[in-house]
Amino acid sequence: MLLKMDRTAAELARLLLKDSECNSALTVGVNDVIFHHGAKLGDMIRLEASLVSVGIKRMSFRVDCFVDDVIMCAGIYHFCSFKDGKSHPHGIKAK
């Protein structure tokens, strides 16, 4: 589940960086992951990511997982933006 959550946050990071000078982002941290309950085999799990904070080179996302519209788990994923293999300011403005 943690891998699926990371991939969901990474997809949002990629979308936010597509018009910037940066060409990649790397997961640099995960915190506050809480598992409220498990899923059964065959359950459809929906993942949603939202931007929660922005730094000069950092972006943080909250990822929520749902089973039948009931929250299953949630966590915060932190990414650093990169250009040509080096950390680089992304230029994203917080709204």
Side-chain angles (χ1 to χ4, degrees), residues 30-44:
V30 178
N31 20 349
D32 301 327
V33 176
I34 299 172
F35 287 89
H36 300 283
H37 62 83
K40 294 181 236 118
L41 185 63
D43 281 348
M44 292 296 291

Side-chain angles (χ1 to χ4, degrees), residues 57-73:
K57 300 176 186 177
R58 178 194 48 80
M59 302 166 284
S60 297
F61 304 96
R62 177 183 168 98
V63 180
D64 296 309
C65 306
F66 299 91
V67 175
D68 297 327
D69 294 327
V70 176
I71 192 152
M72 182 182 96
C73 61

Side-chain angles (χ1 to χ4, degrees), residues 1-13 27 77 79:
M1 183 70 353
L2 293 174
L3 176 60
K4 289 182 182 293
M5 294 170 73
D6 185 49
R7 287 182 177 166
T8 301
E11 181 63 21
L12 184 52
T27 307
Y77 284 73
F79 286 76

Side-chain angles (χ1 to χ4, degrees), residues 9 13 16 40 43 51 56 61 74 78 85 87-89:
L16 290 172
K40 294 181 236 118
D43 281 348
L51 183 66
I56 294 170
F61 304 96
H78 307 281
S87 63
H88 186 78

